[in-house]
Amino acid sequence: MACTARLSACLARPATTNLLASIRRTPVRNAQLQTISCRSFHTTPRRLFPDPPKFPQGPSRAQRRAKGVGAGFGTIAIFVVLVFYFRSSPKPEESPDNEPFLRKQKRASFEGKAPGSFTPTDQAYQEVYNAIAKKLEDDNDYDDGSYGPVLLRLAWHASGTYDAATGTGGSNGATMRFAPEGDHGANSGLAAARRFLEPIHEKFPWISHSDLWILGAICAIQEMSGPTIPWRPGRNDRDASWCTPDGRLPDGAKDQSHLRAIFGRMGFSDQEIVALSGAHALGRCHTDRSGFDGPWTFSPITVTNDYYKLLLDEKWHVRKWDGPRQFQDGGTKSLMMLPTDMALIKDKTFKKWVEAYAKDEDKFMQDFGNVLCKLFELGVPFTTDAESRLKLRKTEEQE
């Protein structure tokens, strides 16, 4: 009872008063200041000033430094892996399904190869064709806007030197690169075509000049809306000792008997002579070359049958001028015809084919392609048969 009374009295006083009284009364140990106990109740001591909360102890400075170094190496390792991944992974344009990229890779593999260093494929020749076509498109400041007609003339004159009786001449050899053949009057102005093709040969040195000249004409005709002409390689370049004599090419100032003599020597029929003459739908004459002047048609850089139509439909008169004898149309007086052209409508046999081609352009295109293929292969010692001929695709067919 006495213990209970003392406890009640103690609790009745303010806590602060009791604490200050105890401090003034006597020094006590910390444990006595912090606890109030009552033995009779056997109560658990209650802390008046509890210990501050304990937080988990962080890593030491050395541990933090080691961890930072490890994290740095880890970051570098991840960066290296990512760089290697992106560099080794194919780019979208390098996908096996990306045809333009594959064509670019193939084209690069065909460029700069020395003769005999590899065996050209069909695709290799297509790339040469494409390079010529692109240059024709880019270099459009010649004559009426295209080097196409003069490329055809280069191949025509290289091939037209063939003599069936002796087996000499023809497109094999590219001997027009040398004098005296390059200086023949009929070849005047053809240096422009040879210069045009030289950068192509430098880019693809494995192709002979002989093959390149003919391929250039094939490309020119096809890109000027002409027929697809089968072509095969196999021509080899020769030196100046193989140059042909002057006088084997047609003279525009002559008549039909001259045409038959020149083309007959090469093995062409009357029909083939008229079909070959359709090449005059392209290009023009120059006074500083042949002495003649002017174009044959109103569309000198497009293959059409207009040459035959104009021969039949226009009124042709001898031109009054200081140059050689030639004819001009009575309407515009801007077109011309050579005496050999007029011979095609004076001769009955020739005229029959002129009328046929004027009436049917498709027939002309077919016969024109066939006879050019024959002309371009004269005198060539091919090691492959005619079935191996390639049909190189026009630019528009590749888009």
Side-chain angles (χ1 to χ4, degrees), residues 143-144 280-288 290-298 300 316 319 321 324 326-329 333-338 341:
D143 265 5
D144 297 289
H280 283 175
L282 301 169
R284 63 170 56 235
C285 289
H286 304 77
T287 55
D288 60 341
S290 64
F292 300 105
D293 177 54
W296 287 270
T297 69
F298 294 109
W316 297 96
R319 180 181 177 181
W321 71 316
Q326 69 177 57
F327 297 81
Q328 69 179 184
D329 67 302
K333 293 181 172 56
S334 62
L335 302 180
M336 59 138 295
M337 289 289 172
L338 302 174
D341 297 315

PDB file of all heavy atoms in Angstrom, residues 143-144 280-288 290-298 300 316 319 321 324 326-329 333-338 341:
ATOM      1  N   ASP A 143      26.678  18.337-131.964  1.00  0.00           N
ATOM      2  CA  ASP A 143      25.784  18.453-133.119  1.00  0.00           C
ATOM      3  C   ASP A 143      24.346  18.766-132.706  1.00  0.00           C
ATOM      4  O   ASP A 143      24.077  19.806-132.132  1.00  0.00           O
ATOM      5  CB  ASP A 143      25.849  17.174-133.965  1.00  0.00           C
ATOM      6  CG  ASP A 143      26.841  17.310-135.117  1.00  0.00           C
ATOM      7  OD1 ASP A 143      27.531  18.344-135.187  1.00  0.00           O
ATOM      8  OD2 ASP A 143      26.938  16.386-135.932  1.00  0.00           O
ATOM      9  N   ASP A 144      23.435  17.831-132.949  1.00  0.00           N
ATOM     10  CA  ASP A 144      22.015  18.062-132.669  1.00  0.00           C
ATOM     11  C   ASP A 144      21.608  17.623-131.264  1.00  0.00           C
ATOM     12  O   ASP A 144      20.425  17.502-130.973  1.00  0.00           O
ATOM     13  CB  ASP A 144      21.167  17.334-133.709  1.00  0.00           C
ATOM     14  CG  ASP A 144      21.398  17.856-135.112  1.00  0.00           C
ATOM     15  OD1 ASP A 144      20.970  18.990-135.397  1.00  0.00           O
ATOM     16  OD2 ASP A 144      22.028  17.138-135.916  1.00  0.00           O
ATOM     17  N   HIS A 280      20.818   6.851-142.556  1.00  0.00           N
ATOM     18  CA  HIS A 280      20.817   8.287-142.833  1.00  0.00           C
ATOM     19  C   HIS A 280      19.629   9.003-142.196  1.00  0.00           C
ATOM     20  O   HIS A 280      19.506  10.223-142.328  1.00  0.00           O
ATOM     21  CB  HIS A 280      20.814   8.525-144.344  1.00  0.00           C
ATOM     22  CG  HIS A 280      22.147   8.303-144.977  1.00  0.00           C
ATOM     23  ND1 HIS A 280      22.355   8.370-146.341  1.00  0.00           N
ATOM     24  CD2 HIS A 280      23.361   8.004-144.421  1.00  0.00           C
ATOM     25  CE1 HIS A 280      23.634   8.125-146.597  1.00  0.00           C
ATOM     26  NE2 HIS A 280      24.257   7.900-145.450  1.00  0.00           N
ATOM     27  N   ALA A 281      18.799   8.272-141.483  1.00  0.00           N
ATOM     28  CA  ALA A 281      17.781   8.937-140.661  1.00  0.00           C
ATOM     29  C   ALA A 281      18.442   9.684-139.511  1.00  0.00           C
ATOM     30  O   ALA A 281      17.838  10.565-138.898  1.00  0.00           O
ATOM     31  CB  ALA A 281      16.794   7.914-140.111  1.00  0.00           C
ATOM     32  N   LEU A 282      19.696   9.339-139.246  1.00  0.00           N
ATOM     33  CA  LEU A 282      20.430   9.907-138.105  1.00  0.00           C
ATOM     34  C   LEU A 282      21.557  10.821-138.577  1.00  0.00           C
ATOM     35  O   LEU A 282      22.157  10.602-139.626  1.00  0.00           O
ATOM     36  CB  LEU A 282      21.020   8.777-137.254  1.00  0.00           C
ATOM     37  CG  LEU A 282      20.021   7.775-136.678  1.00  0.00           C
ATOM     38  CD1 LEU A 282      20.754   6.573-136.095  1.00  0.00           C
ATOM     39  CD2 LEU A 282      19.149   8.436-135.621  1.00  0.00           C
ATOM     40  N   GLY A 283      21.847  11.814-137.775  1.00  0.00           N
ATOM     41  CA  GLY A 283      23.017  12.645-138.003  1.00  0.00           C
ATOM     42  C   GLY A 283      22.866  13.654-139.122  1.00  0.00           C
ATOM     43  O   GLY A 283      21.773  13.925-139.617  1.00  0.00           O
ATOM     44  N   ARG A 284      24.011  14.197-139.514  1.00  0.00           N
ATOM     45  CA  ARG A 284      24.052  15.222-140.547  1.00  0.00           C
ATOM     46  C   ARG A 284      25.427  15.215-141.208  1.00  0.00           C
ATOM     47  O   ARG A 284      26.370  14.620-140.690  1.00  0.00           O
ATOM     48  CB  ARG A 284      23.762  16.597-139.955  1.00  0.00           C
ATOM     49  CG  ARG A 284      24.796  17.038-138.949  1.00  0.00           C
ATOM     50  CD  ARG A 284      24.645  18.508-138.533  1.00  0.00           C
ATOM     51  NE  ARG A 284      23.323  18.812-138.014  1.00  0.00           N
ATOM     52  CZ  ARG A 284      22.546  19.778-138.509  1.00  0.00           C
ATOM     53  NH1 ARG A 284      22.962  20.497-139.556  1.00  0.00           N
ATOM     54  NH2 ARG A 284      21.371  20.051-137.976  1.00  0.00           N
ATOM     55  N   CYS A 285      25.538  15.905-142.334  1.00  0.00           N
ATOM     56  CA  CYS A 285      26.821  16.088-143.014  1.00  0.00           C
ATOM     57  C   CYS A 285      27.437  17.416-142.595  1.00  0.00           C
ATOM     58  O   CYS A 285      26.729  18.356-142.230  1.00  0.00           O
ATOM     59  CB  CYS A 285      26.631  16.052-144.534  1.00  0.00           C
ATOM     60  SG  CYS A 285      26.235  14.423-145.189  1.00  0.00           S
ATOM     61  N   HIS A 286      28.773  17.498-142.677  1.00  0.00           N
ATOM     62  CA  HIS A 286      29.502  18.702-142.294  1.00  0.00           C
ATOM     63  C   HIS A 286      30.425  19.123-143.440  1.00  0.00           C
ATOM     64  O   HIS A 286      31.126  18.297-144.020  1.00  0.00           O
ATOM     65  CB  HIS A 286      30.341  18.462-141.035  1.00  0.00           C
ATOM     66  CG  HIS A 286      29.551  17.962-139.873  1.00  0.00           C
ATOM     67  ND1 HIS A 286      29.131  16.654-139.764  1.00  0.00           N
ATOM     68  CD2 HIS A 286      29.103  18.611-138.751  1.00  0.00           C
ATOM     69  CE1 HIS A 286      28.473  16.501-138.626  1.00  0.00           C
ATOM     70  NE2 HIS A 286      28.432  17.671-138.001  1.00  0.00           N
ATOM     71  N   THR A 287      30.434  20.383-143.711  1.00  0.00           N
ATOM     72  CA  THR A 287      31.258  20.878-144.829  1.00  0.00           C
ATOM     73  C   THR A 287      32.751  20.689-144.580  1.00  0.00           C
ATOM     74  O   THR A 287      33.537  20.567-145.530  1.00  0.00           O
ATOM     75  CB  THR A 287      30.965  22.370-145.069  1.00  0.00           C
ATOM     76  OG1 THR A 287      31.173  23.095-143.851  1.00  0.00           O
ATOM     77  CG2 THR A 287      29.531  22.568-145.537  1.00  0.00           C
ATOM     78  N   ASP A 288      33.166  20.668-143.294  1.00  0.00           N
ATOM     79  CA  ASP A 288      34.591  20.509-142.993  1.00  0.00           C
ATOM     80  C   ASP A 288      35.008  19.043-142.938  1.00  0.00           C
ATOM     81  O   ASP A 288      36.162  18.743-142.610  1.00  0.00           O
ATOM     82  CB  ASP A 288      34.931  21.208-141.680  1.00  0.00           C
ATOM     83  CG  ASP A 288      34.157  20.644-140.497  1.00  0.00           C
ATOM     84  OD1 ASP A 288      33.116  19.983-140.720  1.00  0.00           O
ATOM     85  OD2 ASP A 288      34.579  20.862-139.333  1.00  0.00           O
ATOM     86  N   SER A 290      32.920  15.863-144.944  1.00  0.00           N
ATOM     87  CA  SER A 290      32.602  15.286-146.256  1.00  0.00           C
ATOM     88  C   SER A 290      32.453  16.349-147.338  1.00  0.00           C
ATOM     89  O   SER A 290      32.492  16.041-148.532  1.00  0.00           O
ATOM     90  CB  SER A 290      31.307  14.477-146.166  1.00  0.00           C
ATOM     91  OG  SER A 290      30.208  15.329-145.858  1.00  0.00           O
ATOM     92  N   GLY A 291      32.266  17.575-146.917  1.00  0.00           N
ATOM     93  CA  GLY A 291      32.023  18.649-147.868  1.00  0.00           C
ATOM     94  C   GLY A 291      30.530  18.925-148.042  1.00  0.00           C
ATOM     95  O   GLY A 291      30.140  20.034-148.433  1.00  0.00           O
ATOM     96  N   PHE A 292      29.696  17.925-147.762  1.00  0.00           N
ATOM     97  CA  PHE A 292      28.243  18.101-147.839  1.00  0.00           C
ATOM     98  C   PHE A 292      27.752  18.795-146.560  1.00  0.00           C
ATOM     99  O   PHE A 292      28.477  18.883-145.561  1.00  0.00           O
ATOM    100  CB  PHE A 292      27.549  16.758-148.018  1.00  0.00           C
ATOM    101  CG  PHE A 292      27.957  16.031-149.270  1.00  0.00           C
ATOM    102  CD1 PHE A 292      28.815  14.940-149.223  1.00  0.00           C
ATOM    103  CD2 PHE A 292      27.471  16.434-150.509  1.00  0.00           C
ATOM    104  CE1 PHE A 292      29.187  14.272-150.371  1.00  0.00           C
ATOM    105  CE2 PHE A 292      27.834  15.772-151.672  1.00  0.00           C
ATOM    106  CZ  PHE A 292      28.714  14.693-151.607  1.00  0.00           C
ATOM    107  N   ASP A 293      26.487  19.239-146.597  1.00  0.00           N
ATOM    108  CA  ASP A 293      26.000  20.028-145.460  1.00  0.00           C
ATOM    109  C   ASP A 293      24.524  19.745-145.183  1.00  0.00           C
ATOM    110  O   ASP A 293      23.713  19.730-146.108  1.00  0.00           O
ATOM    111  CB  ASP A 293      26.167  21.521-145.750  1.00  0.00           C
ATOM    112  CG  ASP A 293      25.601  22.394-144.640  1.00  0.00           C
ATOM    113  OD1 ASP A 293      25.997  22.191-143.473  1.00  0.00           O
ATOM    114  OD2 ASP A 293      24.754  23.252-144.949  1.00  0.00           O
ATOM    115  N   GLY A 294      24.215  19.521-143.900  1.00  0.00           N
ATOM    116  CA  GLY A 294      22.828  19.418-143.479  1.00  0.00           C
ATOM    117  C   GLY A 294      22.388  18.030-143.049  1.00  0.00           C
ATOM    118  O   GLY A 294      23.051  17.025-143.315  1.00  0.00           O
ATOM    119  N   PRO A 295      21.226  17.940-142.384  1.00  0.00           N
ATOM    120  CA  PRO A 295      20.656  16.661-141.956  1.00  0.00           C
ATOM    121  C   PRO A 295      19.737  16.078-143.033  1.00  0.00           C
ATOM    122  O   PRO A 295      19.252  16.795-143.903  1.00  0.00           O
ATOM    123  CB  PRO A 295      19.856  17.051-140.715  1.00  0.00           C
ATOM    124  CG  PRO A 295      19.354  18.426-141.035  1.00  0.00           C
ATOM    125  CD  PRO A 295      20.449  19.091-141.833  1.00  0.00           C
ATOM    126  N   TRP A 296      19.477  14.769-142.913  1.00  0.00           N
ATOM    127  CA  TRP A 296      18.573  14.097-143.839  1.00  0.00           C
ATOM    128  C   TRP A 296      17.114  14.201-143.383  1.00  0.00           C
ATOM    129  O   TRP A 296      16.211  14.163-144.206  1.00  0.00           O
ATOM    130  CB  TRP A 296      18.938  12.619-143.954  1.00  0.00           C
ATOM    131  CG  TRP A 296      20.182  12.316-144.726  1.00  0.00           C
ATOM    132  CD1 TRP A 296      20.293  12.071-146.065  1.00  0.00           C
ATOM    133  CD2 TRP A 296      21.504  12.188-144.203  1.00  0.00           C
ATOM    134  NE1 TRP A 296      21.593  11.806-146.424  1.00  0.00           N
ATOM    135  CE2 TRP A 296      22.368  11.875-145.285  1.00  0.00           C
ATOM    136  CE3 TRP A 296      22.069  12.315-142.934  1.00  0.00           C
ATOM    137  CZ2 TRP A 296      23.731  11.676-145.132  1.00  0.00           C
ATOM    138  CZ3 TRP A 296      23.432  12.113-142.783  1.00  0.00           C
ATOM    139  CH2 TRP A 296      24.250  11.809-143.871  1.00  0.00           C
ATOM    140  N   THR A 297      16.909  14.262-142.064  1.00  0.00           N
ATOM    141  CA  THR A 297      15.543  14.262-141.526  1.00  0.00           C
ATOM    142  C   THR A 297      15.396  15.371-140.486  1.00  0.00           C
ATOM    143  O   THR A 297      16.372  16.007-140.073  1.00  0.00           O
ATOM    144  CB  THR A 297      15.204  12.914-140.859  1.00  0.00           C
ATOM    145  OG1 THR A 297      15.978  12.767-139.659  1.00  0.00           O
ATOM    146  CG2 THR A 297      15.489  11.741-141.803  1.00  0.00           C
ATOM    147  N   PHE A 298      14.149  15.545-140.032  1.00  0.00           N
ATOM    148  CA  PHE A 298      13.863  16.548-139.001  1.00  0.00           C
ATOM    149  C   PHE A 298      14.148  16.025-137.592  1.00  0.00           C
ATOM    150  O   PHE A 298      14.088  16.791-136.624  1.00  0.00           O
ATOM    151  CB  PHE A 298      12.404  17.000-139.092  1.00  0.00           C
ATOM    152  CG  PHE A 298      12.068  17.747-140.355  1.00  0.00           C
ATOM    153  CD1 PHE A 298      11.266  17.168-141.327  1.00  0.00           C
ATOM    154  CD2 PHE A 298      12.558  19.028-140.575  1.00  0.00           C
ATOM    155  CE1 PHE A 298      10.951  17.853-142.486  1.00  0.00           C
ATOM    156  CE2 PHE A 298      12.253  19.733-141.734  1.00  0.00           C
ATOM    157  CZ  PHE A 298      11.442  19.145-142.702  1.00  0.00           C
ATOM    158  N   PRO A 300      17.141  14.064-136.318  1.00  0.00           N
ATOM    159  CA  PRO A 300      18.428  13.409-136.581  1.00  0.00           C
ATOM    160  C   PRO A 300      19.039  12.632-135.422  1.00  0.00           C
ATOM    161  O   PRO A 300      20.115  12.063-135.584  1.00  0.00           O
ATOM    162  CB  PRO A 300      19.329  14.579-136.984  1.00  0.00           C
ATOM    163  CG  PRO A 300      18.754  15.759-136.280  1.00  0.00           C
ATOM    164  CD  PRO A 300      17.276  15.532-136.274  1.00  0.00           C
ATOM    165  N   TRP A 316      12.565  17.223-154.343  1.00  0.00           N
ATOM    166  CA  TRP A 316      13.981  17.461-154.149  1.00  0.00           C
ATOM    167  C   TRP A 316      14.582  18.199-155.348  1.00  0.00           C
ATOM    168  O   TRP A 316      14.364  17.827-156.500  1.00  0.00           O
ATOM    169  CB  TRP A 316      14.721  16.142-153.910  1.00  0.00           C
ATOM    170  CG  TRP A 316      14.259  15.451-152.654  1.00  0.00           C
ATOM    171  CD1 TRP A 316      13.339  14.470-152.553  1.00  0.00           C
ATOM    172  CD2 TRP A 316      14.685  15.758-151.322  1.00  0.00           C
ATOM    173  NE1 TRP A 316      13.151  14.117-151.243  1.00  0.00           N
ATOM    174  CE2 TRP A 316      13.972  14.886-150.458  1.00  0.00           C
ATOM    175  CE3 TRP A 316      15.589  16.662-150.765  1.00  0.00           C
ATOM    176  CZ2 TRP A 316      14.134  14.905-149.073  1.00  0.00           C
ATOM    177  CZ3 TRP A 316      15.756  16.676-149.402  1.00  0.00           C
ATOM    178  CH2 TRP A 316      15.035  15.815-148.551  1.00  0.00           C
ATOM    179  N   ARG A 319      20.722  21.721-154.908  1.00  0.00           N
ATOM    180  CA  ARG A 319      21.010  22.930-154.141  1.00  0.00           C
ATOM    181  C   ARG A 319      22.001  23.817-154.896  1.00  0.00           C
ATOM    182  O   ARG A 319      23.015  23.335-155.438  1.00  0.00           O
ATOM    183  CB  ARG A 319      21.584  22.566-152.767  1.00  0.00           C
ATOM    184  CG  ARG A 319      21.923  23.779-151.905  1.00  0.00           C
ATOM    185  CD  ARG A 319      22.507  23.355-150.559  1.00  0.00           C
ATOM    186  NE  ARG A 319      22.887  24.514-149.755  1.00  0.00           N
ATOM    187  CZ  ARG A 319      23.445  24.434-148.550  1.00  0.00           C
ATOM    188  NH1 ARG A 319      23.658  23.242-148.005  1.00  0.00           N
ATOM    189  NH2 ARG A 319      23.769  25.521-147.889  1.00  0.00           N
ATOM    190  N   TRP A 321      24.742  26.183-154.498  1.00  0.00           N
ATOM    191  CA  TRP A 321      25.719  26.672-153.535  1.00  0.00           C
ATOM    192  C   TRP A 321      27.132  26.357-154.031  1.00  0.00           C
ATOM    193  O   TRP A 321      27.316  25.759-155.090  1.00  0.00           O
ATOM    194  CB  TRP A 321      25.462  26.092-152.137  1.00  0.00           C
ATOM    195  CG  TRP A 321      25.769  24.609-151.985  1.00  0.00           C
ATOM    196  CD1 TRP A 321      25.439  23.604-152.843  1.00  0.00           C
ATOM    197  CD2 TRP A 321      26.489  24.005-150.926  1.00  0.00           C
ATOM    198  NE1 TRP A 321      25.889  22.394-152.376  1.00  0.00           N
ATOM    199  CE2 TRP A 321      26.543  22.616-151.184  1.00  0.00           C
ATOM    200  CE3 TRP A 321      27.079  24.472-149.759  1.00  0.00           C
ATOM    201  CZ2 TRP A 321      27.171  21.704-150.337  1.00  0.00           C
ATOM    202  CZ3 TRP A 321      27.694  23.571-148.912  1.00  0.00           C
ATOM    203  CH2 TRP A 321      27.735  22.203-149.190  1.00  0.00           C
ATOM    204  N   PRO A 324      29.740  20.656-152.997  1.00  0.00           N
ATOM    205  CA  PRO A 324      29.490  19.567-153.940  1.00  0.00           C
ATOM    206  C   PRO A 324      27.998  19.400-154.241  1.00  0.00           C
ATOM    207  O   PRO A 324      27.141  19.897-153.496  1.00  0.00           O
ATOM    208  CB  PRO A 324      30.056  18.348-153.212  1.00  0.00           C
ATOM    209  CG  PRO A 324      30.027  18.695-151.771  1.00  0.00           C
ATOM    210  CD  PRO A 324      30.255  20.171-151.706  1.00  0.00           C
ATOM    211  N   GLN A 326      24.478  18.329-154.174  1.00  0.00           N
ATOM    212  CA  GLN A 326      23.574  17.678-153.243  1.00  0.00           C
ATOM    213  C   GLN A 326      22.179  18.231-153.472  1.00  0.00           C
ATOM    214  O   GLN A 326      21.991  19.208-154.201  1.00  0.00           O
ATOM    215  CB  GLN A 326      24.005  17.891-151.786  1.00  0.00           C
ATOM    216  CG  GLN A 326      23.856  19.321-151.271  1.00  0.00           C
ATOM    217  CD  GLN A 326      24.241  19.448-149.801  1.00  0.00           C
ATOM    218  OE1 GLN A 326      25.343  19.123-149.403  1.00  0.00           O
ATOM    219  NE2 GLN A 326      23.289  19.929-148.997  1.00  0.00           N
ATOM    220  N   PHE A 327      21.198  17.618-152.853  1.00  0.00           N
ATOM    221  CA  PHE A 327      19.794  17.999-153.068  1.00  0.00           C
ATOM    222  C   PHE A 327      19.223  18.576-151.769  1.00  0.00           C
ATOM    223  O   PHE A 327      19.657  18.220-150.660  1.00  0.00           O
ATOM    224  CB  PHE A 327      18.980  16.792-153.514  1.00  0.00           C
ATOM    225  CG  PHE A 327      19.424  16.232-154.839  1.00  0.00           C
ATOM    226  CD1 PHE A 327      20.516  15.383-154.930  1.00  0.00           C
ATOM    227  CD2 PHE A 327      18.743  16.559-156.010  1.00  0.00           C
ATOM    228  CE1 PHE A 327      20.924  14.868-156.152  1.00  0.00           C
ATOM    229  CE2 PHE A 327      19.149  16.055-157.242  1.00  0.00           C
ATOM    230  CZ  PHE A 327      20.248  15.208-157.311  1.00  0.00           C
ATOM    231  N   GLN A 328      18.224  19.428-151.902  1.00  0.00           N
ATOM    232  CA  GLN A 328      17.534  19.985-150.738  1.00  0.00           C
ATOM    233  C   GLN A 328      16.029  19.936-150.972  1.00  0.00           C
ATOM    234  O   GLN A 328      15.566  19.923-152.117  1.00  0.00           O
ATOM    235  CB  GLN A 328      17.978  21.414-150.438  1.00  0.00           C
ATOM    236  CG  GLN A 328      17.558  22.453-151.446  1.00  0.00           C
ATOM    237  CD  GLN A 328      18.001  23.855-151.073  1.00  0.00           C
ATOM    238  OE1 GLN A 328      17.668  24.812-151.766  1.00  0.00           O
ATOM    239  NE2 GLN A 328      18.750  24.001-150.000  1.00  0.00           N
ATOM    240  N   ASP A 329      15.283  19.871-149.863  1.00  0.00           N
ATOM    241  CA  ASP A 329      13.827  19.775-149.976  1.00  0.00           C
ATOM    242  C   ASP A 329      13.252  21.107-150.453  1.00  0.00           C
ATOM    243  O   ASP A 329      13.787  22.174-150.136  1.00  0.00           O
ATOM    244  CB  ASP A 329      13.214  19.374-148.637  1.00  0.00           C
ATOM    245  CG  ASP A 329      13.372  20.450-147.569  1.00  0.00           C
ATOM    246  OD1 ASP A 329      14.536  20.819-147.278  1.00  0.00           O
ATOM    247  OD2 ASP A 329      12.363  20.930-147.040  1.00  0.00           O
ATOM    248  N   LYS A 333      13.763  23.781-147.228  1.00  0.00           N
ATOM    249  CA  LYS A 333      15.136  23.987-147.702  1.00  0.00           C
ATOM    250  C   LYS A 333      16.166  23.809-146.584  1.00  0.00           C
ATOM    251  O   LYS A 333      17.265  24.381-146.621  1.00  0.00           O
ATOM    252  CB  LYS A 333      15.297  25.375-148.336  1.00  0.00           C
ATOM    253  CG  LYS A 333      14.520  25.553-149.628  1.00  0.00           C
ATOM    254  CD  LYS A 333      14.731  26.936-150.214  1.00  0.00           C
ATOM    255  CE  LYS A 333      14.109  27.057-151.601  1.00  0.00           C
ATOM    256  NZ  LYS A 333      12.672  26.734-151.634  1.00  0.00           N
ATOM    257  N   SER A 334      15.794  23.006-145.589  1.00  0.00           N
ATOM    258  CA  SER A 334      16.699  22.742-144.467  1.00  0.00           C
ATOM    259  C   SER A 334      17.226  21.304-144.465  1.00  0.00           C
ATOM    260  O   SER A 334      18.148  20.987-143.702  1.00  0.00           O
ATOM    261  CB  SER A 334      15.988  23.015-143.140  1.00  0.00           C
ATOM    262  OG  SER A 334      14.874  22.148-142.975  1.00  0.00           O
ATOM    263  N   LEU A 335      16.641  20.458-145.308  1.00  0.00           N
ATOM    264  CA  LEU A 335      17.061  19.053-145.383  1.00  0.00           C
ATOM    265  C   LEU A 335      17.916  18.824-146.629  1.00  0.00           C
ATOM    266  O   LEU A 335      17.894  19.622-147.567  1.00  0.00           O
ATOM    267  CB  LEU A 335      15.849  18.131-145.398  1.00  0.00           C
ATOM    268  CG  LEU A 335      14.890  18.234-144.209  1.00  0.00           C
ATOM    269  CD1 LEU A 335      13.735  17.255-144.390  1.00  0.00           C
ATOM    270  CD2 LEU A 335      15.610  17.977-142.890  1.00  0.00           C
ATOM    271  N   MET A 336      18.644  17.721-146.629  1.00  0.00           N
ATOM    272  CA  MET A 336      19.502  17.395-147.765  1.00  0.00           C
ATOM    273  C   MET A 336      19.415  15.910-148.101  1.00  0.00           C
ATOM    274  O   MET A 336      19.030  15.090-147.275  1.00  0.00           O
ATOM    275  CB  MET A 336      20.942  17.756-147.455  1.00  0.00           C
ATOM    276  CG  MET A 336      21.486  17.048-146.240  1.00  0.00           C
ATOM    277  SD  MET A 336      23.171  16.439-146.406  1.00  0.00           S
ATOM    278  CE  MET A 336      23.009  15.226-147.663  1.00  0.00           C
ATOM    279  N   MET A 337      19.774  15.568-149.309  1.00  0.00           N
ATOM    280  CA  MET A 337      19.963  14.212-149.774  1.00  0.00           C
ATOM    281  C   MET A 337      21.205  14.187-150.659  1.00  0.00           C
ATOM    282  O   MET A 337      21.482  15.151-151.398  1.00  0.00           O
ATOM    283  CB  MET A 337      18.756  13.710-150.572  1.00  0.00           C
ATOM    284  CG  MET A 337      17.507  13.446-149.740  1.00  0.00           C
ATOM    285  SD  MET A 337      17.678  11.982-148.681  1.00  0.00           S
ATOM    286  CE  MET A 337      16.175  12.136-147.693  1.00  0.00           C
ATOM    287  N   LEU A 338      21.952  13.088-150.568  1.00  0.00           N
ATOM    288  CA  LEU A 338      23.134  12.903-151.397  1.00  0.00           C
ATOM    289  C   LEU A 338      22.743  12.249-152.726  1.00  0.00           C
ATOM    290  O   LEU A 338      21.670  11.638-152.827  1.00  0.00           O
ATOM    291  CB  LEU A 338      24.147  12.019-150.667  1.00  0.00           C
ATOM    292  CG  LEU A 338      24.630  12.503-149.285  1.00  0.00           C
ATOM    293  CD1 LEU A 338      25.513  11.447-148.642  1.00  0.00           C
ATOM    294  CD2 LEU A 338      25.351  13.826-149.409  1.00  0.00           C
ATOM    295  N   ASP A 341      21.693   8.807-152.188  1.00  0.00           N
ATOM    296  CA  ASP A 341      20.337   8.697-151.629  1.00  0.00           C
ATOM    297  C   ASP A 341      19.308   8.759-152.759  1.00  0.00           C
ATOM    298  O   ASP A 341      18.379   7.937-152.801  1.00  0.00           O
ATOM    299  CB  ASP A 341      20.067   9.823-150.624  1.00  0.00           C
ATOM    300  CG  ASP A 341      20.988   9.776-149.422  1.00  0.00           C
ATOM    301  OD1 ASP A 341      21.183   8.680-148.874  1.00  0.00           O
ATOM    302  OD2 ASP A 341      21.526  10.845-149.051  1.00  0.00           O
TER     303      ASP A 341
END
